[in-house]
Each structure stands twice: as structure tokens, then as C-alpha cells.
Amino acid sequence: QDMAARLVPIYEALDGGQPKQALKLITNMMKKKPASILTVLKALALHRLGSTDEALALCDQISSAQPPEMDETVLRTLNLVYKQMGKNEQATNMAERAWENDQRNEEAAIQLFYSYAREGNLAKQQQHVMKMSKLYLRPREDYVLWAALTILLQVPSDAPPTHPMLGLTSKMFEKIAAEGRMKDSEILLVYLDILERMNKPQEALRILSSSDVANMIKLPFERLKTLAHLHERVEQWDEAIKLYRQLLTDHEPDEWDAYKGYIACIQKKGFLAQDVEELMKLLKGFQTDQKTCLCRGPFLAEIELESIKPREGAGNEVIVSLMLQYFDRFGAKGCCVYDLKPYMLRHLDTDQARVQFGETLLEKARGVSDSEKNLRYYTSCIQIQRVLGMHTASHMTDAALLSLANDLVNKFIASAEEAVKKAKQHREAAPKGSVAEDDGERLVGSDLVLVAVHILLEMHFKSTSEQYVYQAIAILELSLVLSPSNFQFKLHLLVLYARLGHIRRASDLFQSLSIRNIQLDTLSHIVLDDALRYSPPHARPITDTILHFHKQNVDQTLESVAQCFSHHAYSRIEDISRLKKRLQSSHTYASTLTETLFFNMILYAPTAPLIPDEPDPNDLLPFIKQLASNTKTDVIDAKYDVLRALQLNEDVESIDTWQPETEQPILTRLIAEAPMCQCTTSVRAYGRTKEEQVEILRLRRLTLQFVFDAFIASSPKADELRDILLCINDVLAIPSVSASMGVLKVEEQTGRTQSFDAIRWNTVRHVFEAIITVLELCAEPNGPAVQTLPGKLAAVHKGCEDMLGLIKGMLAQKDHAFIAIPAFFSLVAEVMFYVHAMMKKAHDILCPYVPAQPS
């Protein structure tokens, strides 16, 4: 107890972010009375001061002591330090020794279970908890339950209902329920989820039929929702309708899932007149009640019911009338267009009906007197008109479209300037020292700017003139000044700048979005591919952030699983585990790892080509050897089954668009096309199929394998390099790649046109053909390859000269594409690097034919 009191100032210093002060206190105390807890706390302070190696040595000293340290406070603190240093394996070893020394210590057994969970070692986790269930007669926790959950984590998320492990966990939970040990809603929710995956709704309904079990679900709303869903699954329509009605009446009159379930049950029963009448009575009651008349659910449910029920005649007048009434009531809300979109596309089935509906909405919007409300209604109207295809060449001339775009921008600027003026007056009138209000991310009418930008981009596609793209950028930059927090403006600018090859500005915008956590995996595709190819130095902050997030995710999700067991949050365990698996199989993560290795070699190697004042070329060999030895084999694994298992987590709906259903979103078209700068990319992922992305990533990994093999002792085989050549041909066959090589070309003074990327890829192809010939010479020095090698080497040399010549031409032209010049250097450097690797490996064999260094 005396020691505990003396430790209080140390804990306060550590918690207060003062590790230096804590270290000083610990040092003074250890002089008087050394103790294990002081050594561990010293390690924690040193780690926070950056002395990780010294901290690790102190931790290892305590964990390897004989007999093992058994004090719970010391063990917990030591485990914390190991965890913060990312040394889960050492923490597990320590926990194993502690438990083996005294297996009667249940706390030590629990800590060992948590250690296995933090490592993600499910097999050992399962074995250990089964031992615990037999060893402790009066256990602190339900170890059979923990064992069932551990087994459940080993079941693939896409496992069929008959998977044997699902059946095993179901039996274990059934036993827990039969013995009356299901006393927690978390246990019940996991059991229901298992039965759902096994397609056993009848069994789940039987479990919930007991009032004691059903009452475990604390929120009545969730309980009713679960019961209604299960009754619907077993086709007990009347019971499901009763429960959905109770849920809406007693708890949440705006619950859209309940309305959809209610209407689905009525549809399954055949739209009986009594059922429809009762639902309509309920909806009309909500629509007229002062407490619920502002809810969108009852009005949308009426449209949904009218949309799917059998109608006499073929007219859509009733649905059109309901949609117009919905616009009258909710047209000022930004969600109006998304609410009405499925019904408009389904029931406005002629051009005339769509135009008439759009013009009617415009008249209604103009009739709103309040200026701010008028702008909100007008914005919804313009969005709906775009969805209906009214902003196309068949309905408006080019001049009319440009005039509309100009009017939209002017409306937003006038509204924004007024809003900024009012905000300034409000801040000036506010009491001194008060916190200023946030001006919000999106000002009223900001979506009008996006519509104007989309119109300009459509004009660009129609005319192929880049002036419309520059106008769109200028409009967005001006609008961003007025509304600096608008993330949609930034996302649109990101795409446009990346499209132009202006990666520095795109990277700055990406950083300004403060994208964090899971968004790094879902949104980074917008800029990442272009940044990696055009300007690796500006891509570095993005890739470093992505790689740091994924590394952190593994540690944090495993720690979260351990915490879920500790705090009995059992229903969250499988969700967290699924998230971890999805992120570990992320295509963005895999391609980022691969491309990072490339520009580490090419731009950061001591003798990287095109870097002035190169040191001795021999210094490159140890650099590549170190890079190769530090690279895990799975990072460059090019097997098809591995690459096809990767998941595309891109959020393709993050950028607002209101295109007609028949057209591809305007920015998706823009991203998928060849860039405007004359240096095209062949690793662009956005807008391509998964199979095409697999081919591209496979090519990059095969090439990495070659480079590593070329610089270290082992030699690549000719068959492996032929795989690379085949993969290059597959990639060149991808339509978007082959098209990009012929669309944008560099004009030379002679009038000749050449595609830079085509030259680059052909040169790479010649490089690998030459390397195969070199390997054939290794096997047969005087074979026929002797005759073909000089010509192949000459083709490589000419390709390099052509690329450098194009760069000189670009520099001489001094046109807008000058911003893409770093990309030329990057790509040429990559090809030169392959040539350098080939020469390095084959120099002794090729002495009679080539110089020591490539020209």
C-alpha cells in the first residue's frame, strides 16, 4: 500500500503527458528501493520519450526473470508497454510463462487468452479457452461461450448455411440457452445472427417467443423490428403487419424499413382491400398529425404503395400528383431528388412526361417567395431536371446549356456573398470571447455550382476542347473561396487536377480534406493512381498515411476484439473481425505497397537515374538487396488466386452526380479516360473492371520480382520473364490502356506525332525480350541468341532515346502540359532502371557485345 501511494505522482506525470518528469521520479525512487513495477514504468516513460530500444530491453529483463513475475499490476503494465511498442509476440510469451508457472491463477489464464486475441491467433485462442472451461469449476466468465465465439470467428463471412463450424457454434449456443446461461442481450444477438446465417428464421422466432428472452433486447424498438423481420421471413404476414404497425405507431413514425416491410407483407398477401385501407388510414393520420406531419416516411410510403400496387388503366396521374405534393412539402430539402428518383424513373416513362414534370417543378420553385427557400427549391428542381435528362443536346442547344451554367453560378455567388456578409455581421455583433458559429460545409445553392461544372464537362466531352475543363476549375476555385469547407468542391477539383497531371495541387486538396481512417481506403483512389505515376514525391504523404492506417488498423482491431471479450460486447466481435479481414484484402492497400516499392527503388536509390552527382553505381546493389530482404513475399505475390481475392473498397458514390440512369456519371467518365497531360498512365484503377486491375497489379509485381532477382544471387528463369511479357500484352490489350496511347499525343516540330506511353511500354517490352535472350545465352553461350541480341539491345537504346527526345520537345513547346514534366522523368527513370538491372545482371556474359553501363 505504501508503494501504491508513492506511485501516484508517477502515474499522474505519465497521464499528464510528462514522461521526462515521470522518468526523474522513477530514477530517484529506484535508487532508494528498486522494484519490478518501477522498472516497467521506466520502460513506459522511455518509450514515450522515443528510446524504444532501451525500453524494450527493460521489458525483456522483467519478462524473462526467473521465477516469472506474478504481480498483476506489473503484468498489466508490462503488457501495456509491449502493446504500445507493437510487440504483441513478447507480451504473449510473457503471459504464457506466467500462466504455466501457476495454472490455478485464473487471471493469468484470462490475460493469456487476451494476448492470443491481440495476435489474432484463433487456433491457440480456441485451444486455450477449451482448457480454461475444464480447469476452472467456478469460472469468472462463461468460457464455453468464449470458445463458441472463437470458433465463429474462423467461419468465412461468405460460408454457406451448412458450414460445419456454423453448426457447431449453433449447438454450443443451444446448450447455453438450455442451461439458462443466456442472461445477456449480447449473447442473444450473436445467437440470432448465427441462426440468420444458417437460414433458420423459424428457430430464431422460437427462441424469441419466450418473453424472458425477448425482453433481453433492452430497446422495444429493436425488439419489435427483429420480431417483425422474423415473422416476415417465415411468411406469417399478419403477425409481421401487426408488429410493423405497432413499431410505427408506438415508437418511430419515420422508420422507412418498417414501411417497406409493411408494404411488402401487403403485397405478398395480394393487396387485400382491408390491408391497403388500414395502411392508408395510418399514413393519412401521420400526414395530418401536427407531431408527425414533418416526417418524410408517411408521404414516401404512400408513393411507394401507389407505385407497386395494381392499378386500373395505364395512367400514372395519381403517382405524378403525389410526387408533386411531395416536392411542395419537402422540395427545400437536399434529399428530395434522391427520394423521388426511383419513382420518377419508373413512372415518367416518356420524354414528354419528363419535360412536363420538370417544367411544373420549375414553376412551383419560382412561386416560393422567401429568397433562401426559393433557392433551395430551385436547386432541387435543377437536380431533378438533370436526373430526367433535360440538360442534354436533345432538349437544349449548346448556347442554352452554357447560359444555364452561367446563371447557376451567378445565383450561387450572389447567395454565398450574402451569406458571408450576414455571418460577418453576426460575428461582429457577438459578445467578445464567444465562440463563432461554423459556417457549415455546404452553403445554400452550392449544388448549383456542381451542376454547372457537370454541364461544362459534358461540353468538353462533346467538343474535346480543354477550355471547358479550365472554366470548371476556375468556377470551383472561386466557389471554394466563398465556401472553404465544401468537400464536394474539393473532390471535384481533385479529379480535375489529377486529370491534368497537376498532382501538387491535387495532393494539397487531398490533405485539406482531412481524410482519416476507413476513408483512406475508400476515397484515396480518386488521386492515388495519378499521383503514383506522375509525381511520386507528392504521392509520398498520401501513401505513407494509407500504409500507416492499415498497420494501425491491424493492431487496433485485434485490441478491440480483446476488449469486446473483456467488456462482454460479444455482438461487436464478428463485425470488427470482418472489417479487419476486408481491409487486409484491400486492393488499394496492395497496390500502394507495390507502387511504394517502385518509387523507393527508382527515386530514392543512391544511384537512381536522372539524379545529379550519382555516387558509385556499385552502391545500388546493397540498397536493392536490403530492399528485397525487407520485403515480405506476400507483398510481391503475383499469383492470380491471391490477386483475385483482393477487394475493391472504393466509394464510387462519394462524388455527387445527378446523371440520368442511362449515362455514366460525368466524373467517372473523366477519370476513366486518358489524362489531358501528354504523359498517360497504365496503372489507373478507377473506371476499370476488377479483372483489368488484377492484370495491372500482377504486371507490377512480376516486374518487382524480376528487379529483385536481377540484383541478388538468384537468377530469374526465362519462363518467368515470358510471363511478364504475356502480362504486358494483356495490359496493353485493355481497351482503356490501348485507347489512351493513341488519343493524346505530343506534336513535334516535324509534324510527326508519337504517343509517349506507347514508346515507354514498347521499350519495356524490348527490355524484357533482351533479358530473355541474355538468359538463353547463359544456358547456351554460342547459341542462336548471339545473333539476335544486338538488334534487341539497339531497340532498347532507341526507345530510351525516343522518350528523352519527347521530353526535350515538351520543354521546347512550353505549353500547358509542362506541369506533367515530372511524370516524364519518373517514367523514363523506371525504364532506365530496368535497363540498369539487366546490364548489372548480364555484364559478365555480355562483355563482347555491350558496354559496362547503358548509354
Side-chain angles (χ1 to χ4, degrees):
Q1 189 172 2
D2 180 52
M3 175 60 79
R6 293 164 62 194
L7 292 176
V8 170
I10 298 174
Y11 288 132
E12 290 177 348
L14 289 170
D15 292 341
Q18 297 178 313
K20 281 187 178 181
Q21 177 65 19
L23 185 60
K24 184 178 178 181
L25 293 169
I26 293 166
T27 305
N28 292 335
M29 287 181 66
M30 290 183 74
K31 289 178 181 177
K32 299 175 183 178
K33 187 178 180 181
S36 296
I37 185 62
L38 291 174
T39 305
V40 177
L41 289 173
K42 182 178 180 180
L44 180 58
L46 288 169
H47 170 63
R48 292 184 179 178
L49 288 169
S51 302
T52 304
D53 292 340
E54 190 178 348
L56 185 59
L58 290 174
C59 289
D60 290 344
Q61 174 188 325
I62 296 297
S63 63
S64 60
Q66 291 296 337
E69 180 64 55
M70 295 305 297
D71 184 84
E72 284 190 18
T73 304
V74 175
L75 291 175
R76 284 178 181 276
T77 310
L78 186 56
N79 189 62
L80 171 68
V81 182
Y82 272 133
K83 188 170 64 179
Q84 289 190 2
M85 290 191 290
K87 304 293 182 181
N88 285 326
E89 187 177 344
Q90 284 91 328
T92 301
N93 292 338
M94 177 200 69
E96 284 176 339
R97 285 196 298 272
W99 185 65
E100 287 169 3
N101 189 63
D102 183 9
Q103 294 194 359
R104 293 172 301 176
N105 188 332
E106 189 174 358
E107 176 61 26
I110 291 173
Q111 291 302 320
L112 178 55
F113 176 83
Y114 293 157
S115 294
Y116 287 140
R118 292 186 185 100
E119 276 192 353
N121 194 332
L122 293 173
K124 284 191 175 181
Q125 197 175 323
Q126 180 185 340
Q127 293 168 8
H128 180 62
V129 78
M130 293 302 289
K131 290 179 185 177
M132 293 168 66
S133 66
K134 298 173 183 176
L135 189 60
Y136 304 110
L137 299 178
R138 294 183 179 180
R140 283 170 42 183
E141 305 285 354
D142 192 335
Y143 299 130
V144 174
L145 171 64
W146 283 18
L149 291 167
T150 304
I151 295 170
L152 185 61
L153 289 177
Q154 299 174 62
V155 180
S157 57
D158 57 350
T162 56
H163 195 284
M165 281 190 173
L166 276 178
L168 176 59
T169 53
S170 174
K171 292 290 184 185
M172 295 172 79
F173 272 89
E174 186 178 337
K175 182 180 179 182
I176 290 170
E179 293 176 355
R181 297 184 353 243
M182 190 177 290
K183 299 177 181 178
D184 191 319
S185 63
E186 289 289 311
I187 305 174
L188 174 62
L189 291 174
V190 175
Y191 190 17
L192 292 176
D193 182 60
I194 293 170
L195 294 174
E196 178 80 13
R197 291 179 64 178
M198 295 180 70
N199 198 22
K200 292 184 175 181
Q202 193 75 49
E203 179 65 18
L205 198 56
R206 185 188 66 78
I207 296 292
L208 280 177
S209 62
S210 166
S211 59
D212 292 339
V213 174
N215 288 332
M216 287 182 190
I217 302 178
K218 304 299 181 186
L219 297 175
F221 171 80
E222 292 295 338
R223 183 167 63 247
L224 286 172
K225 193 173 180 180
T226 303
L227 283 168
H229 171 70
L230 289 172
H231 278 292
E232 188 179 352
R233 285 284 308 277
V234 299
E235 300 184 0
Q236 294 178 357
W237 313 122
D238 289 330
E239 285 297 322
I241 287 173
K242 180 182 176 182
L243 290 166
Y244 280 130
R245 189 179 185 89
Q246 184 182 350
L247 191 153
L248 292 166
T249 306
D250 298 345
H251 299 285
E252 183 50 71
D254 207 22
E255 175 59 34
W256 181 238
D257 286 338
Y259 284 116
K260 287 199 298 183
Y262 197 151
I263 294 171
C265 292
I266 291 177
Q267 184 180 21
K268 293 291 185 181
K269 289 184 67 180
F271 290 104
L272 299 180
Q274 183 180 352
D275 292 332
V276 174
E277 185 180 340
E278 287 179 354
L279 175 56
M280 284 302 301
K281 185 178 179 181
L282 179 69
L283 295 178
K284 293 298 181 183
F286 286 145
Q287 291 172 7
T288 55
D289 191 308
Q290 196 169 8
K291 294 180 181 179
T292 56
C293 63
L294 298 180
C295 295
R296 291 157 41 226
F299 296 92
L300 267 183
E302 185 177 1
I303 299 175
E304 173 72 13
L305 178 63
E306 189 64 36
S307 174
I308 65 173
K309 79 176 185 180
R311 299 189 306 279
E312 295 180 4
N316 291 314
E317 293 82 2
V318 176
I319 295 176
V320 171
S321 175
L322 289 173
M323 289 193 292
L324 290 173
Q325 292 173 31
Y326 189 87
F327 182 82
D328 286 337
R329 187 173 290 270
F330 301 108
K333 293 182 178 291
C335 57
C336 181
V337 60
Y338 304 105
D339 290 346
L340 293 179
K341 183 177 179 178
Y343 308 109
M344 292 188 299
L345 297 179
R346 193 184 308 163
H347 298 289
L348 300 176
D349 46 10
T350 66
D351 237 14
Q352 182 181 356
R354 294 185 176 196
V355 171
Q356 185 178 350
F357 186 80
E359 289 177 349
T360 304
L361 294 186
L362 188 58
E363 290 176 9
K364 287 178 174 290
R366 287 171 176 164
V368 178
S369 57
D370 180 85
S371 59
E372 181 178 321
K373 208 170 184 181
N374 174 277
L375 188 61
R376 291 182 185 275
Y377 272 95
Y378 181 74
T379 301
S380 292
C381 174
I382 292 296
Q383 292 169 336
I384 289 173
Q385 286 186 345
R386 276 195 70 75
V387 169
L388 296 176
M390 292 176 64
H391 297 165
T392 58
S394 59
H395 292 92
M396 298 178 72
T397 64
D398 289 353
L401 281 170
L402 291 174
S403 176
L404 174 62
N406 188 57
D407 289 344
L408 296 178
V409 173
N410 287 335
K411 279 182 179 291
F412 168 72
I413 291 175
S415 171
E417 287 177 344
E418 183 65 26
V420 170
K421 183 179 177 181
K422 287 181 179 178
K424 183 179 178 182
Q425 292 172 350
H426 178 77
R427 284 194 296 270
E428 290 173 351
K432 190 175 181 180
S434 62
V435 179
E437 289 185 13
D438 184 10
D439 57 358
E441 287 199 344
R442 304 178 79 165
L443 295 177
V444 177
S446 60
D447 286 347
L448 295 177
V449 172
L450 302 181
V451 173
V453 166
H454 293 174
I455 289 173
L456 289 171
L457 294 179
E458 285 177 343
M459 297 296 291
H460 157 70
F461 284 118
K462 185 177 179 181
S463 67
T464 68
S465 172
E466 296 175 12
Q467 65 169 328
Y468 295 114
V469 179
Y470 296 126
Q471 288 177 18
I473 288 175
I475 289 169
L476 286 166
E477 290 284 14
L478 172 61
S479 302
L480 195 60
V481 172
L482 296 170
S483 181
S485 300
N486 192 307
F487 73 96
Q488 283 295 333
F489 291 166
K490 292 181 180 180
L491 287 176
H492 279 68
L493 281 168
L494 256 179
V495 173
L496 294 175
Y497 279 123
R499 177 85 164 74
L500 288 169
H502 198 337
I503 302 304
R504 183 168 188 171
R505 175 61 176 152
S507 178
D508 291 343
L509 285 165
F510 186 85
Q511 300 296 330
S512 73
L513 282 166
S514 299
I515 290 174
R516 297 286 183 270
N517 302 324
I518 192 68
Q519 288 180 322
L520 287 166
D521 203 65
T522 59
L523 293 179
S524 58
H525 66 277
I526 295 173
V527 69
L528 182 61
D529 299 303
D530 287 316
L532 284 168
R533 301 301 291 147
Y534 296 152
S535 186
H538 291 116
R540 195 60 187 256
I542 301 174
T543 56
D544 285 349
T545 307
I546 292 172
L547 296 179
H548 175 72
F549 159 67
H550 278 276
K551 180 183 180 303
Q552 202 176 40
N553 165 69
V554 173
D555 297 335
Q556 288 183 347
T557 50
L558 290 173
E559 175 61 29
S560 297
V561 169
Q563 291 297 320
C564 284
F565 277 104
S566 176
H567 295 92
H568 302 168
Y570 303 125
S571 64
R572 300 288 179 266
I573 292 175
E574 199 172 4
D575 291 338
I576 295 170
S577 180
R578 284 197 196 112
L579 174 64
K580 180 178 80 68
K581 291 174 183 176
R582 188 173 182 87
L583 288 174
Q584 283 181 323
S585 60
S586 161
H587 183 276
T588 297
Y589 178 49
S591 59
T592 301
L593 275 175
T594 304
E595 295 299 328
T596 300
L597 283 172
F598 267 104
F599 66 72
N600 275 350
M601 285 193 305
I602 295 165
L603 295 183
Y604 298 98
T607 57
L610 304 181
I611 294 179
D613 303 321
E614 295 180 355
D616 184 347
N618 291 325
D619 291 346
L620 188 58
L621 183 59
F623 176 83
I624 298 298
K625 282 187 174 180
Q626 182 182 1
L627 192 65
S629 63
N630 291 340
T631 302
K632 296 180 180 179
T633 54
D634 60 332
V635 174
I636 55 174
D637 192 341
K639 296 185 185 71
Y640 271 120
D641 56 342
V642 172
L643 299 181
R644 284 174 179 149
L646 297 175
Q647 299 191 56
L648 302 177
N649 297 329
E650 291 93 343
D651 181 1
V652 296
E653 297 181 354
S654 56
I655 300 178
D656 282 346
T657 182
W658 303 280
Q659 297 294 115
E661 285 290 292
T662 54
E663 294 185 16
Q664 189 181 24
I666 191 74
L667 289 184
T668 303
R669 288 171 60 194
L670 194 70
I671 295 173
E673 279 204 345
M676 290 176 185
C677 59
Q678 273 75 358
C679 173
T680 60
T681 177
S682 52
V683 295
R684 182 187 298 278
Y686 200 79
R688 290 199 179 131
T689 66
K690 183 176 179 180
E691 282 300 313
E692 291 170 346
Q693 294 187 46
V694 164
E695 288 292 346
I696 291 168
L697 181 57
R698 184 168 181 267
L699 172 59
R700 303 297 282 172
R701 290 188 168 189
L702 285 171
T703 307
L704 269 177
Q705 290 175 11
F706 153 70
V707 173
F708 286 165
D709 284 346
F711 276 88
I712 56 181
S714 62
S715 297
K717 298 177 182 176
D719 289 343
E720 293 174 352
L721 293 176
R722 287 193 179 92
D723 283 345
I724 297 179
L725 278 175
L726 290 172
C727 202
I728 289 176
N729 291 329
D730 289 341
V731 170
L732 294 177
I734 295 173
S736 56
V737 175
S738 57
S740 72
M741 292 184 181
V743 173
L744 298 165
K745 300 179 178 180
V746 179
E747 296 281 347
E748 292 189 344
Q749 293 180 355
T750 60
R752 229 168 17 98
T753 62
Q754 295 188 57
S755 166
F756 179 85
D757 217 36
I759 294 173
R760 168 183 166 246
W761 273 110
N762 285 328
T763 305
V764 171
R765 182 158 32 188
H766 292 319
V767 168
F768 286 114
E769 287 174 351
I771 294 166
I772 291 176
T773 307
V774 168
L775 294 175
E776 290 170 349
L777 276 173
C778 294
E780 192 178 353
N782 297 316
V786 173
Q787 304 299 322
T788 60
L789 182 60
K792 291 180 179 177
L793 292 175
V796 173
H797 182 77
K798 184 179 183 304
C800 294
E801 281 190 339
D802 286 345
M803 286 189 294
L804 292 171
L806 284 178
I807 290 181
K808 291 176 183 176
M810 284 293 300
L811 290 169
Q813 288 178 29
K814 297 181 181 178
D815 64 4
H816 72 273
F818 184 80
I819 57 175
I821 288 300
F824 284 104
F825 286 113
S826 172
L827 297 180
V828 171
E830 186 172 318
V831 175
M832 294 291 194
F833 198 84
Y834 302 151
V835 176
H836 187 95
M838 177 185 68
M839 298 298 187
K840 186 81 178 177
K841 185 67 182 174
H843 177 247
D844 293 338
I845 300 167
L846 300 177
C847 278
Y849 309 103
V850 296
Q853 292 295 322
S855 48

